[in-house]
């Protein structure tokens, strides 16, 4: 105890933590306010809003899993090369050769879990009517974040480059060829012509743009890799900031008015 | 042992796409109707115990284990368990709150919502604790079960069945009833757009920030029907019960690639011209599909005003013209899936409008 006391008296400690041990209201408020990670929280919350039986903590778990995915994902990026010649073998090495090789497992199971928790978060928000005014806009941001979660999971599904991966993504992206007007097997696509030259073909429709080819191939792997590791996380990150900020601005965790 | 085999055979024989969906809807209706009864702790505990026993007994079956223990299917089991538990929690609170509101007393949440507590420690400690618990659970899961890695990708060898990732299997199951342009593009877009529209078309100001069923029965029933029956249970159907050639297999049935399902699906135009009028199909596509177009136009153009004057009268008055029409059309799109399912099962109806020449099939 004495050692701890001495430690907290040092200049280094005091330069990091601008408050005393938070056992009184003032320092508890400062603990939240003077910490960049915690200051997204308000100082006080509704008592009904901290009950686990009310919030289910699913939004919090989803965010936590996003952090887990980011950390394990970065570690995986050190080993994984998104090129057809290497991708599968790198996966195999991650599984069999890499020391402490559970990063891929953590990443995959965390991703599955995140899909579930984000659905459950939405279920709770709906059942408590928390999308109602003034939170309409934040519900919308949440819906987009849910779609991004699914897209993150889907783009990541391709990266192991095994049979499971390419065929699941083939089944999924085959839908795009049936997009009305923009897919070459979609209703109305045949109407878009220049004279008698069709504009929408297997080599120019949305599916081609998505895959970078007419089948799931090397270009698709690179595209999905960039989408998975950079593009979608970046958008999700921005939207998450908006989502959390709006929770505060719209009156915190919902409660009876 | 023989007896167990008989029960399993009976269950496999009983279960098909039709009965699965029928049981889902009946179960869903019972969940809503008897929420005051089944959420009581002794009943809920008995139901939980019963499902654990059934699950464990099923795990003695090799075929059942093969499907359940696929690494990528484990999340579905976790999801079903957590949804079961959380629905119990939610419906329990709804039942209690509805009783309190009826007596004019404040709800469970309202009793505490005026009181504020310090974020540190009341909220931050629980967040921290949950983070630790999730980390432990995830580590344990990652150490216990290897992430799947199959044969290297080979575009020349198509696995049978080819399945999308599990969270999209509800959509893949819709492909049985609708063509890809609807099941794979239009419906997903409408699901997203419809979810986004919810706060703007729900004009009911009650039930904001607390659990209640009686104050918003329509909203909760529709949402839960969409989420539980049309999304989660279809995922379960698509993952556990669809095998090679997307044929239906019972929980304990061997996935026989040669299983035959005789299907002779007929278009509405063939019913109309050949069966009812006794004529050959007209050459002109529009004339041929006229009955189908009439049905679709009636469904989306005439039904909303009819509903506005009958069952949805209150909504129309509350919402106004634009909101009401958005709501009614989204509702009809959602209902289109069970309706098409029923038409397929009852009349072997393939397409209401069938113009394969233009990839325009409804």
């Amino acid at each position: 105890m004495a050692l701890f006391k001495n430690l907290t008296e040092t200049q280094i400690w005091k330069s990091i933590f601008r408050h005393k041990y938070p056992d009184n209201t003032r320092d508890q408020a400062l603990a939240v306010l003077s910490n960049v990670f915690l200051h997204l929280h308000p100082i006080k919350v509704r008592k009904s809003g901290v009950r686990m039986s009310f919030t289910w903590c699913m939004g919090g778990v989803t965010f936590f899993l996003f952090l887990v995915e980011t950390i394990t994902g970065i570690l995986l990026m050190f080993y994984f090369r998104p090129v057809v010649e290497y991708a599968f073998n790198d996966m195999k090495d991650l599984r069999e050769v890499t020391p402490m090789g559970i990063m891929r497992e953590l990443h995959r199971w965390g991703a599955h879990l995140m899909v579930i928790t984000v659905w459950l978060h939405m279920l709770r928000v709906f059942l408590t009517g928390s999308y109602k005014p003034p939170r309409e806009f934040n519900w919308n941001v949440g819906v987009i974040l849910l779609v991004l979660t699914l897209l993150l999971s889907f783009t990541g599904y391709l990266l192991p480059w095994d049979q499971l991966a390419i065929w699941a993504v083939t089944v999924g992206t085959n839908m795009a060829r049936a997009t009305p007007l923009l897919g070459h097997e979609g209703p109305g696509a045949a109407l878009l012509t220049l004279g008698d030259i069709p504009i929408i073909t297997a080599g120019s429709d949305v599916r081609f743009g998505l895959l970078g080819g007419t089948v799931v191939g090397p270009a698709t792997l690179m595209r999905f890799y960039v989408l998975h590791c950079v593009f979608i996380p970046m958008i999700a990150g921005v939207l998450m900031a908006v989502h959390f900020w709006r929770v505060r601005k719209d009156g915190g965790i919902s409660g009876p008015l | 042992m023989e007896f167990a085999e008989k029960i399993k055979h009976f269950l496999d024989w009983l279960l098909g796409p039709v009965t699965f969906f029928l049981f889902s809807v009946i179960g869903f209706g019972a969940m809503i109707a008897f929420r005051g009864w089944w959420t009581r702790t002794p009943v809920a505990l008995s139901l939980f115990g019963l499902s654990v026993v059934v699950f464990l007994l099923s795990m003695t079956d090799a075929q059942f284990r093969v499907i359940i223990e696929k690494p990528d299917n484990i999340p579905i089991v976790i999801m079903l368990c957590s949804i079961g538990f959380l629905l119990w929690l939610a419906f329990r609170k709804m039942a209690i709150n509805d009783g309190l509101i009826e007596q004019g007393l404040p709800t469970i949440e309202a009793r505490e919502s005026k009181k504020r507590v310090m974020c540190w420690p009341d909220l931050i400690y629980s967040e921290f604790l949950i983070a630790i618990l999730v980390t432990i659970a995830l580590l344990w899961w990652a150490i216990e079960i290897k992430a799947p890695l199959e044969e290297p990708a080979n575009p020349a060898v198509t696995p049978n069945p080819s399945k999308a990732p599990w969270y999209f299997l509800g959509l893949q199951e819709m492909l049985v009833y609708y063509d890809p342009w609807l099941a794979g593009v239009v419906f997903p877009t409408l699901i997203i757009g419809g979810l986004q529209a919810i706060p703007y078309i729900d004009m009911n100001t009650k039930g904001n920030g607390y659990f209640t069923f009686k104050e918003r029965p329509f909203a909760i029933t529709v949402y839960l029907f969409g989420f539980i029956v049309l999304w989660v249970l279809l995922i379960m159907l698509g993952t556990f019960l669809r095998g090679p050639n997307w044929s239906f297999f019972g929980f304990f049935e061997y996935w026989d690639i040669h299983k035959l399902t005789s299907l002779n699906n007929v278009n509405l135009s063939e019913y109309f011209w050949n069966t009812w009028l006794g004529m050959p199909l007209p050459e002109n596509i529009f004339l041929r599909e006229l009955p189908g177009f009439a049905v679709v136009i009636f469904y989306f153009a005439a039904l909303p005003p009819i509903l506005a004057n009958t069952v949805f009268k209150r909504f129309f008055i509350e919402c106004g013209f634009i909101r009401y029409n958005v709501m009614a059309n989204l509702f009809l799109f959602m209902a289109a899936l069970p309706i098409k399912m029923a038409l397929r099962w009852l009349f072997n109806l393939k397409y209401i409008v069938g113009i394969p020449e233009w990839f325009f099939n409804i």
Side-chain angles (χ1 to χ4, degrees), chain B residues 28-144:
Chain B
F28 178 77
M31 176 180 82
I32 301 269
F34 305 120
R35 59 188 184 282
W37 176 74
W38 72 264
T39 52
R40 280 186 298 179
T41 316
V43 185
L45 275 178
S46 322
L47 287 173
F48 173 70
L50 192 69
S51 31
V52 169
V53 170
V54 171
F55 182 77
L56 288 179
L57 280 179
S58 303
M59 285 298 271
T60 60
D61 181 84
Q63 185 58 33
F64 185 83
R65 256 203 330 268
V66 165
I67 301 170
I68 293 289
E69 285 182 348
K70 259 192 184 171
D72 268 349
N73 287 352
I74 289 169
I76 305 176
V77 180
I78 295 177
M79 174 178 68
L80 292 174
C81 294
S82 28
I83 286 181
F85 173 72
L86 291 174
L87 278 182
W88 167 74
L89 200 60
F91 271 98
R92 181 85 197 124
K93 287 203 157 188
M94 285 180 200
I96 293 172
N97 275 348
D98 286 344
L100 289 169
I101 293 166
E102 219 158 65
Q103 297 169 40
L105 297 169
T107 56
I108 306 172
E109 290 84 5
R111 271 187 233 152
E112 294 180 332
S113 70
K114 293 282 177 293
K115 202 181 163 204
R116 308 259 159 168
V117 293
M118 294 302 288
C119 204
W120 182 301
D122 286 61
L123 180 56
I124 286 167
Y125 274 38
S126 20
E127 284 176 348
F128 192 55
L129 200 64
I130 295 288
I132 292 172
L133 290 177
V134 172
T135 310
I136 293 171
L138 206 55
L139 278 170
W140 179 70
W141 189 0
I143 292 167
E144 281 297 313

Side-chain angles (χ1 to χ4, degrees), chain A residues 6-176:
Chain A
N6 288 338
L7 189 70
T8 58
E9 303 275 293
T10 59
Q11 192 185 357
I12 295 176
W13 182 278
K14 281 182 171 172
S15 72
I16 300 171
F17 298 105
R18 300 292 195 190
H19 57 83
K20 296 227 168 58
Y21 187 76
D23 54 0
N24 58 77
T25 317
R26 184 178 178 277
D27 286 313
Q28 285 172 345
L30 280 175
V32 174
L33 265 182
S34 61
N35 183 313
V36 69
F37 304 107
L38 296 181
H39 92 287
L40 264 174
H41 296 95
I43 303 299
K44 287 183 167 191
V45 275
R46 283 195 180 90
K47 190 160 169 58
S48 61
V50 293
R51 289 245 180 261
M52 283 282 295
S53 60
F54 180 75
T55 62
W56 304 354
C57 204
M58 282 302 152
V61 173
T62 307
F63 177 57
F64 179 68
L65 286 170
F66 181 82
L67 298 180
V68 171
E69 293 302 292
T70 309
I71 294 165
T72 53
I74 289 172
L75 290 173
L76 288 171
M77 283 170 81
F78 282 117
Y79 292 88
F80 176 74
R81 288 164 290 180
V83 185
V84 173
E85 286 79 6
Y86 299 126
F88 180 80
N89 289 330
D90 286 350
M91 280 293 154
K92 228 172 147 64
D93 284 354
L94 273 167
R95 187 188 172 91
E96 284 157 15
V97 184
T98 319
M100 304 279 286
I102 59 164
M103 281 309 141
R104 202 183 143 230
E105 278 70 21
L106 284 175
H107 198 73
R108 194 179 185 97
W109 303 144
H112 284 327
L113 211 54
M114 192 173 155
V115 170
I116 297 169
T117 54
V118 80
W119 289 351
L120 294 177
H121 174 56
M122 183 186 233
L123 179 67
R124 193 285 292 179
V125 169
F126 187 91
L127 290 182
T128 55
S130 305
Y131 58 85
K132 298 189 178 200
R135 297 184 180 81
E136 310 100 305
F137 177 71
N138 217 14
W139 166 270
N140 267 274
V141 177
V143 172
I144 298 169
L145 279 167
L146 179 138
V147 175
L148 290 179
T149 307
L150 293 180
L151 289 179
L152 271 171
S153 195
F154 184 66
T155 47
Y157 216 83
L158 181 66
L159 305 186
W161 204 249
D162 62 344
Q163 280 289 71
L164 194 64
I166 69 156
W167 289 103
V169 170
T170 303
V171 169
T173 51
N174 265 345
M175 296 300 110

Side-chain angles (χ1 to χ4, degrees), chain B residues 46-361:
Chain B
S46 322
L47 287 173
F48 173 70
L50 192 69
S51 31
V52 169
V53 170
V54 171
F55 182 77
L56 288 179
L57 280 179
S58 303
M59 285 298 271
T60 60
D61 181 84
Q63 185 58 33
F64 185 83
R65 256 203 330 268
V66 165
I67 301 170
I68 293 289
E69 285 182 348
K70 259 192 184 171
D72 268 349
N73 287 352
I74 289 169
I76 305 176
V77 180
I78 295 177
M79 174 178 68
L80 292 174
C81 294
S82 28
I83 286 181
F85 173 72
L86 291 174
L87 278 182
W88 167 74
L89 200 60
F91 271 98
R92 181 85 197 124
K93 287 203 157 188
M94 285 180 200
I96 293 172
N97 275 348
D98 286 344
L100 289 169
I101 293 166
E102 219 158 65
Q103 297 169 40
L105 297 169
T107 56
I108 306 172
E109 290 84 5
R111 271 187 233 152
E112 294 180 332
S113 70
K114 293 282 177 293
K115 202 181 163 204
R116 308 259 159 168
V117 293
M118 294 302 288
C119 204
W120 182 301
D122 286 61
L123 180 56
I124 286 167
Y125 274 38
S126 20
E127 284 176 348
F128 192 55
L129 200 64
I130 295 288
I132 292 172
L133 290 177
V134 172
T135 310
I136 293 171
L138 206 55
L139 278 170
W140 179 70
W141 189 0
I143 292 167
E144 281 297 313
I145 297 166
K146 275 273 171 211
L149 191 65
E150 295 187 353
E151 299 289 300
N154 184 352
V157 181
T158 315
N160 187 6
S162 283
K163 290 189 177 186
W166 63 271
Y167 36 84
F168 288 148
L169 283 188
L171 297 174
Q172 200 174 349
E173 177 63 20
M174 280 210 295
L175 284 172
V176 177
Y177 307 99
Y178 283 106
D179 269 18
W181 76 278
L182 282 170
V185 184
V186 174
F187 284 156
T189 313
L190 282 170
I191 293 171
I192 297 166
L195 285 171
Q196 290 187 298
I198 286 175
Y200 304 101
I201 54 182
D202 183 359
M203 290 289 100
N204 182 358
T205 50
K206 286 183 184 158
N208 185 344
Y210 55 98
F211 287 98
T212 170
F213 182 83
K214 276 193 181 155
E215 291 189 341
R216 39 199 294 258
F218 180 74
I220 290 184
T221 309
V222 173
Y223 182 86
L224 283 184
F225 186 81
F227 180 61
I228 303 294
V229 179
L230 296 183
W231 189 253
V232 171
L233 288 176
L234 284 191
I235 286 175
M236 190 178 150
L237 170 63
T239 317
F240 295 151
L241 304 173
R242 290 292 188 180
N245 311 321
W246 211 249
S247 293
F248 189 95
F249 293 87
F251 280 108
F252 313 106
E253 204 175 337
Y254 170 67
W255 280 16
D256 182 3
I257 199 160
H258 302 295
K259 177 169 179 169
L260 285 179
T261 10
S262 64
L263 271 181
N264 185 21
N265 292 331
V266 183
N267 290 343
L268 180 64
S269 57
E270 288 159 346
Y271 269 123
F272 185 80
W273 297 105
N274 300 350
T275 316
W276 296 334
L277 296 183
M279 289 164 60
L281 286 177
E283 289 281 317
N284 185 306
I285 291 175
F286 284 106
L287 187 62
R288 185 186 78 200
E289 298 304 330
L290 201 61
F293 279 120
V295 169
V296 173
I297 290 170
F298 173 82
Y299 187 74
F300 285 110
L303 265 191
I306 292 172
L307 290 173
N309 283 305
T310 52
V311 280
F312 284 170
K313 203 165 201 165
R314 201 168 49 84
F315 290 124
F316 185 68
I317 293 164
E318 276 175 12
C319 295
F321 184 77
I322 293 177
R323 282 199 174 94
Y324 169 76
N325 276 299
V326 173
M327 190 276 279
N329 273 292
L330 286 170
F331 181 77
L332 289 173
F333 265 109
M334 186 170 146
L337 178 62
I339 289 174
K340 185 82 187 278
M341 286 173 157
L343 290 174
R344 174 69 57 83
W345 298 330
L346 292 173
F347 309 112
N348 285 330
L349 184 74
K350 190 172 186 196
Y351 294 129
I352 297 167
V353 175
I355 314 179
E357 296 89 333
W358 304 340
F359 302 112
F360 189 80
N361 304 311

